[in-house]
Amino acid sequence: MWNKAIRGINRTVENLTALFLAAMVVLIFLQILMRLVMAKSFSWTEEAARYLMIWLTFLAASYGFRRGAHVGVSVIVERLPMRFQRWVQAVAGLVCLVFFALLVIFGFELMDRSMMQHSPALNFPMGYVYSVIPISGILMALNLIDVLIRTIRTGRGGERS
Amino acid sequence: KSDAGDGEIVLKVGHIAPEEHSYAKGFNQFAEAVEKETGGKVKFEIYGNGQLGGEREIIEQVQLGSLDMTVVTAGPVGNFVEEFSVLEMPFLFRDLDHVYKTLDGEIGQELMGELEKAGFKALGIWENGMRHLTNNKRPIRSPEDLKGMKMRTVENDVYVETYRALGADPTPIAFPEVYTSLQQHVVDGLDSSYGVFHSTKLYEVQNHLSEVGIYYAAAPLLMNKDKFESLPEDVQQVLVEKGREFAEVQRQINQEMEKEQKEDFIKKGGKVVEAKDLDLEAFRKAVQPVYEKYRDRFGDMVERIEAVK
Amino acid sequence: MAILLFVVFLILLVINVPIAIGLAMSAVIVLAASSEIPLVMLPQKMFAAMDSFPLMAAPFFILAGKLMEHGGISERLVQFANSLVGRIRGGLAHVSIIACMFFAAVSGSATATTAAVGGIMIPAMVRAGYDRPFSTAVQSVAGTTGILIPPSVPMVLYGVSAGASISTLFLAGIVPGILVGLSLMAAAYLMSRSRGYRTDDQKVSLREIGRRFVRSFPAIFMPVIILGGIYSGLFTPTEASVVAVVYGLVVGVFVYKELDLNKLRGIFVSSAETTSVILLMIGTAALFGMVLTREQVPQSVAEWLASANLSSIEVLLLVNLLLLLVGTFMEVIAAIIILTPILLPVVTGIGVDPIHFGVIMITNLAIGLITPPVGLSLYVGSQVGGVRFEKLVRAVFPFLWIMIVDVLLVTFVPGLTLIGD
Ligand code: NA
Ligand code: NA
């Protein structure tokens, strides 16, 4: 049940981020075409593309953590005896969890306090734009908990490492 | 470090201007005056030059309370308090006298009151000055001369519509890319105040400047409202007094600097078309569609500003 | 407080917390301890740092690189390049350094340069028998020419901060940029000689070279479109990165017919993941940098430097050392914005030209891009090349020395930078 749900969520998030990246390409390419061919520019394409980039950054971070894509220094931990390695990994995981919790709590606060602020071009409440931060915090935490559980059970967690 | 004991109050300030911009000069003098007036009780820690981020970001920091104060251009303030955007309507003001009568009068008070609702205490309305049209193609005397010209703008529908109404092709380009875009002719020109034109070296890649005054760039001096209210009353009073007093000082500084910057531009080979050699009426007439489209957004504010004598 | 910041960061680094999170959490601890800045700054600063249009060139060039890699472009390009320089020792290393310099003349950022050329050349070098960490190191290091050879976003920012002419800065960066490129080629030659790297031993016939040229023509033509597009004023450098994506798509799907929908999904997902890794780091590094700024760390160091009563050579050496040190921990743009107003008066006081200093600063910070722990070019390189961070750091090390020699040349031979006068 849990495994299936996580896999389903990640697959959806993957597709979403791929779609966002594709949309960024279309928007900016459109911006160039409109200017060169029609001698007319949209006022909102750049902003939309920028926000899509930030959305995909936060969202993709969730499956990135699962696959161990995020850069770290593992060389020192790997030299420790197996028994210590597990402990250190657990502490590192806990630090990450605290970070995700902060993203959720303060991301929500930022979102809540920015509902009256409007984005310059799209005139869209910034609160909605910021909503990706707490949402991604939850997704990242879900993936990390899953990896941690596996690490504790088997000593191996991520898909890649 | 900030609460240095003895009841000393440290106010943290951020802005995006380099040291030789009128924001920085004006603020430094304001800070000095406040420190003196409060007998050294209030101290300022100033982070200029965009060290703490861009303008939208800095306003947000003041709103969230991680920064105490900023002096910031009205444009991005409009994203937080929509009423403020009325100042960005093209050719809204007849001249600087009209500007000051509006901002230092009832309407200015009203706009500052709107800022309070969003969590800011406005201590005064300073300025970045009139924005003029610059380009590297030809002198601009009437909207005719703008036809087909690619003008850089920020992503804001009023700005974009204004350029369309004037017959130009508005092209949104992010600020860090403006210089190279002008140099490589991705765009031909932009609107800019003398201060920004000078401090960002845009004169290196532009030959013509027309003093049309397409917008007036006001610059409110903003403070976090909770922070302001947490201060002793005598300090509050000094801040409000000096904020207003130095609005005039800063405007004076800005205008003197503009004169020097203009001379410097001409000395470097730039060509300036002054207001008296422009067909300003034609510009005003051309932007009427912008007013038809956006005037209602601001209630009766446009009429009231026009009526200020 | 500043000590707390570094100590916590180093501890988190040692226990293998991802660097992005280590930067954020050490900053958070300092923020929480000083209690004057609300923690809502964490998401606010991260978001604001990512909210930049020029930054978008990074994901687009990463995507373009992957499209070219999987769309058959890199293979054909490499075959052609091989037929030209394959017999020279370290031939492909030279090709990739030259390609980086070429791309540097198109893009204003180092990471975009590394991503764009690395996406094609690293797999190619590995296929040709080069060691993967070495190939990735060459790309990560050569990519730093992206901010030395104009256009350069950091130079624009320096010009604005220092009140120096940006066009003169651009001119001043050309010779040092080429110098860095050439010195890296010399280093690559020596390393390849000791490792015995050489790809093709047989001589390739002229007709075969011609055939390979025709087959790889769409790939060779891409820089022409991008360079031509920027310098003829059709689009900005960031927009050019999108043109590269569309061009890569068209060639991969319709010309070489090696890209299908399934492959494309994979390419887009992995590009999104890479983008995320880099941008997340940019976001949290900005928070870390903000804490440094507000703790006045760089300022105090600079003030001490100004008060120490040293000779001009000593000051310049110390300034270089400081810039190298700051470059290890801070991202280029943040470092420029914070340090320029402080260091400029120090060096102009001993008679250094502001343009010259701009190039010194950017060359130093270019080295910062390839020094751990905060080294964006290393992050991009390890992503694009698929090499573990520590392994890459080790492989980059020999190149570091060469670049330090370059910095000293740029510092003490002002003629290199002031040719534009
Ligand atoms: Na470049
Ligand atoms: Na570094």
Side-chain angles (χ1 to χ4, degrees):
Chain A
M1 213 13 221
W2 165 264
N3 280 339
K4 217 173 157 191
I6 290 260
R7 236 180 298 141
I9 291 171
N10 281 341
R11 179 91 187 163
T12 312
V13 173
E14 275 180 21
N15 288 337
L16 215 56
T17 53
L19 216 65
F20 285 177
L21 184 55
M24 283 165 63
V25 174
V26 171
L27 283 172
I28 301 299
F29 196 63
L30 203 67
Q31 171 180 311
I32 304 169
L33 280 187
M34 284 295 282
R35 190 179 68 231
L36 295 183
V37 183
M38 319 276 286
K40 221 174 174 198
S41 301
F42 290 125
S43 64
W44 50 271
T45 44
E46 187 213 303
E47 184 177 287
R50 251 186 298 122
Y51 291 161
L52 284 171
M53 172 171 78
I54 297 172
W55 275 57
L56 88 80
T57 295
F58 277 101
L59 289 172
S62 64
Y63 59 82
F65 278 110
R66 171 179 216 87
R67 301 195 212 166
H70 293 271
V71 189
V73 180
S74 57
V75 61
I76 298 162
V77 176
E78 278 165 5
R79 305 238 160 115
L80 293 173
M82 224 14 213
R83 216 155 38 96
F84 287 115
Q85 269 192 41
R86 290 246 190 128
W87 276 105
V88 172
Q89 272 173 351
V91 172
L94 215 64
V95 172
C96 294
L97 267 184
V98 173
F99 173 72
F100 301 150
L102 293 175
L103 279 187
V104 176
I105 296 166
F106 293 103
F108 185 81
E109 186 188 331
L110 180 64
M111 172 188 139
D112 190 45
R113 292 177 66 177
S114 307
M115 281 301 180
M116 297 302 289
Q117 186 197 149
H118 286 253
S119 73
L122 295 159
N123 213 20
F124 195 68
M126 284 304 285
Y128 292 139
V129 181
Y130 288 139
S131 68
V132 72
I133 299 172
I135 292 172
S136 303
I138 293 170
L139 292 172
M140 291 180 217
L142 279 179
N143 274 291
L144 188 81
I145 290 169
D146 186 53
V147 172
L148 277 181
I149 292 172
R150 279 189 219 195
T151 310
I152 289 163
R153 276 203 201 132
T154 63
R156 285 182 63 100
E159 285 170 10
R160 213 177 272 165
S161 63
Chain B
K1 198 180 318 164
S2 64
D3 298 309
D6 313 332
E8 189 178 274
I9 299 160
V10 177
L11 295 178
K12 295 197 155 58
V13 187
H15 61 72
I16 65 155
E19 269 311 296
E20 69 277 10
H21 187 278
S22 67
Y23 286 1
K25 288 193 173 172
F27 198 92
N28 292 345
Q29 292 190 17
F30 164 81
E32 207 176 297
V34 171
E35 282 179 18
K36 202 170 149 213
E37 192 75 17
T38 57
K41 195 154 78 177
V42 175
K43 290 253 183 303
F44 291 89
E45 238 171 55
I46 305 172
Y47 300 89
N49 226 346
Q51 285 180 67
L52 297 181
E55 290 199 312
R56 189 197 70 81
E57 190 190 344
I58 287 183
I59 302 169
E60 199 170 67
Q61 289 180 15
V62 172
Q63 192 183 39
L64 296 169
S66 73
L67 197 62
D68 301 321
M69 213 187 245
T70 184
V71 50
V72 67
T73 316
V77 175
N79 300 325
F80 293 77
V81 178
E82 212 184 355
E83 287 79 358
F84 236 86
S85 302
V86 72
L87 300 179
E88 314 258 287
M89 292 296 279
F91 306 104
L92 178 65
F93 296 103
R94 293 182 298 274
D95 49 30
L96 281 178
D97 190 48
H98 184 196
V99 170
Y100 300 145
K101 281 205 173 110
T102 307
L103 295 181
D104 298 340
E106 193 188 320
I107 290 173
Q109 284 302 317
E110 222 174 291
L111 289 174
M112 281 156 75
E114 293 296 336
L115 283 165
E116 293 214 10
K117 290 185 203 155
F120 301 103
K121 172 75 192 172
L123 297 173
I125 300 181
W126 297 14
E127 75 174 14
N128 193 19
M130 280 290 185
R131 295 176 71 115
H132 301 307
L133 294 177
T134 73
N135 75 91
N136 49 26
K137 274 197 147 160
R138 54 180 172 258
I140 291 168
R141 294 191 180 84
S142 74
E144 279 301 297
D145 301 321
L146 263 174
K147 275 256 147 47
M149 221 180 252
K150 279 181 287 181
M151 297 297 286
R152 179 264 171 176
T153 182
V154 294
E155 300 189 311
N156 167 310
D157 46 3
V158 175
Y159 292 170
V160 170
E161 288 296 326
T162 298
Y163 274 125
R164 288 216 178 110
L166 291 172
D169 174 23
T171 309
I173 288 190
F175 193 75
E177 294 203 319
V178 167
Y179 185 95
T180 35
S181 299
L182 289 167
Q183 193 179 37
Q184 293 161 7
H185 304 283
V186 176
V187 284
D188 304 311
L190 79 162
D191 57 273
S192 146
S193 66
Y194 268 112
V196 171
F197 189 63
H198 196 264
S199 66
T200 57
K201 307 269 155 188
L202 291 177
Y203 58 78
E204 290 176 1
V205 284
Q206 299 277 272
N207 328 325
H208 298 282
L209 185 152
S210 299
E211 294 182 331
V212 294
I214 187 167
Y215 309 100
Y216 172 73
L221 178 63
L222 295 180
M223 194 167 171
N224 178 284
K225 191 162 165 260
D226 294 336
K227 180 78 185 183
F228 178 80
E229 282 167 358
S230 76
L231 298 174
E233 232 158 79
D234 56 324
V235 173
Q236 290 188 11
Q237 208 175 344
V238 171
L239 286 171
V240 170
E241 249 166 47
K242 294 293 163 199
R244 198 178 306 138
E245 189 186 323
F246 278 80
E248 267 160 57
V249 174
Q250 190 268 351
R251 287 170 188 168
Q252 205 65 47
I253 295 174
N254 192 54
Q255 278 157 34
E256 270 159 33
M257 288 178 72
E258 282 188 354
K259 245 180 253 154
E260 286 166 23
Q261 287 154 353
K262 178 176 172 180
E263 274 166 29
D264 191 49
F265 177 55
I266 292 170
K267 210 162 62 197
K268 289 194 164 89
K271 303 266 186 303
V272 174
V273 181
E274 295 186 346
K276 60 179 165 46
D277 303 319
L278 285 161
D279 188 358
L280 277 176
E281 261 328 293
F283 280 100
R284 281 179 211 284
K285 208 179 266 162
V287 297
Q288 279 320 301
V290 181
Y291 278 85
E292 275 153 38
K293 198 163 171 189
Y294 295 107
R295 138 182 264 141
D296 293 341
R297 197 188 263 186
F298 307 106
D300 59 352
M301 202 46 124
V302 170
E303 286 78 6
R304 286 177 53 209
I305 291 176
E306 282 167 346
V308 172
K309 284 275 137 41
Chain C
M1 276 305 179
I3 292 170
L4 181 69
L5 182 74
F6 286 106
V7 169
V8 173
F9 178 58
L10 285 177
I11 291 174
L12 295 180
L13 210 65
V14 164
I15 65 169
N16 195 17
V17 170
I19 291 172
I21 296 182
L23 286 165
M25 289 307 288
S26 49
V28 159
I29 284 174
V30 172
L31 291 182
S34 66
S35 81
E36 66 189 39
I37 304 175
L39 284 183
V40 68
M41 279 312 283
L42 165 73
Q44 196 268 355
K45 194 74 211 177
M46 283 177 73
F47 183 98
M50 298 172 195
D51 189 14
S52 145
F53 182 65
L55 202 55
M56 222 182 279
F60 286 145
F61 273 130
I62 287 165
L63 177 60
K66 288 192 188 191
L67 286 170
M68 285 180 255
E69 179 190 340
H70 296 282
I73 293 180
S74 76
E75 208 186 310
R76 290 167 176 84
L77 192 66
V78 166
Q79 278 183 355
F80 172 64
N82 241 354
S83 55
L84 293 180
V85 289
R87 287 164 57 83
I88 302 170
R89 282 190 204 279
L92 279 184
H94 298 312
V95 172
S96 67
I97 293 169
I98 291 174
C100 276
M101 291 163 71
F102 199 53
F103 249 88
V106 178
S107 92
S109 100
T111 48
T113 307
T114 295
V117 181
I120 305 172
M121 288 305 295
I122 295 170
M125 286 175 74
V126 171
R127 231 171 288 145
Y130 288 73
D131 163 53
R132 184 176 280 274
F134 173 78
S135 315
T136 310
V138 168
Q139 284 306 321
S140 308
V141 179
T144 62
T145 55
I147 60 170
L148 282 166
I149 297 175
S152 159
V153 175
M155 275 186 190
V156 172
L157 292 173
Y158 174 82
V160 170
S161 298
S165 157
I166 293 162
S167 42
T168 314
L169 267 170
F170 276 6
L171 278 176
I174 295 175
V175 174
I178 293 172
L179 171 77
V180 168
L182 290 179
S183 66
L184 293 178
M185 286 170 73
Y189 177 81
L190 292 177
M191 280 185 253
S192 300
R193 204 168 70 166
S194 69
R195 291 162 181 233
Y197 286 143
R198 179 196 299 228
T199 47
D200 272 333
D201 275 326
Q202 325 91 306
K203 203 164 186 267
V204 183
S205 71
L206 223 66
R207 170 184 278 190
E208 178 61 15
I209 294 178
R211 206 178 66 84
R212 289 182 186 181
F213 176 75
V214 172
R215 268 168 33 108
S216 62
F217 184 74
I220 297 168
F221 195 60
M222 195 199 74
V224 178
I225 291 181
I226 292 179
L227 262 175
I230 292 178
Y231 281 107
S232 64
L234 285 179
F235 33 77
T236 68
T238 308
E239 289 174 339
S241 62
V242 163
V243 176
V245 169
V246 173
Y247 188 78
L249 263 173
V250 169
V251 172
V253 174
F254 300 108
V255 181
Y256 293 152
K257 301 192 171 83
E258 291 192 14
L259 292 175
D260 55 31
L261 214 61
N262 198 34
K263 249 188 179 176
L264 281 177
R265 180 190 176 274
I267 289 170
F268 274 78
V269 170
S270 79
S271 299
E273 188 184 283
T274 308
T275 301
S276 161
V277 169
I278 294 165
L279 262 67
L280 208 64
M281 200 117 49
I282 287 177
T284 56
L287 183 76
F288 189 88
M290 186 201 71
V291 172
L292 278 185
T293 308
R294 300 210 15 176
E295 291 296 325
Q296 318 229 320
V297 173
Q299 288 94 323
S300 344
V301 177
E303 272 159 27
W304 172 81
L305 202 63
S307 65
N309 202 12
L310 302 164
S311 76
S312 16
I313 291 179
E314 284 168 332
V315 171
L316 276 176
L317 282 175
L318 271 175
V319 164
N320 274 320
L321 200 66
L322 171 73
L323 285 168
L324 282 175
L325 220 68
V326 169
T328 61
F329 274 98
M330 222 189 248
E331 188 266 325
V332 179
I333 286 168
I336 288 175
I337 288 171
I338 294 162
L339 287 181
T340 304
I342 304 161
L343 288 182
L344 191 64
V346 176
V347 297
T348 48
I350 57 164
V352 176
D353 183 275
I355 299 286
H356 182 200
F357 181 60
V359 181
I360 294 176
M361 187 169 201
I362 287 165
T363 314
N364 271 293
L365 296 175
I367 296 181
L369 285 166
I370 49 165
T371 52
V374 180
L376 285 184
S377 287
L378 288 177
Y379 302 152
V380 176
S382 88
Q383 285 296 316
V384 176
V387 176
R388 287 246 309 266
F389 187 69
E390 309 91 294
K391 258 196 174 158
L392 179 57
V393 169
R394 234 170 288 141
V396 156
F397 210 70
F399 291 104
L400 269 179
W401 294 110
I402 300 289
M403 284 192 72
I404 288 172
V405 173
D406 291 333
V407 162
L408 291 175
L409 280 174
V410 168
T411 306
F412 293 107
V413 189
L416 289 174
T417 49
L418 301 175
I419 286 171
D421 273 357

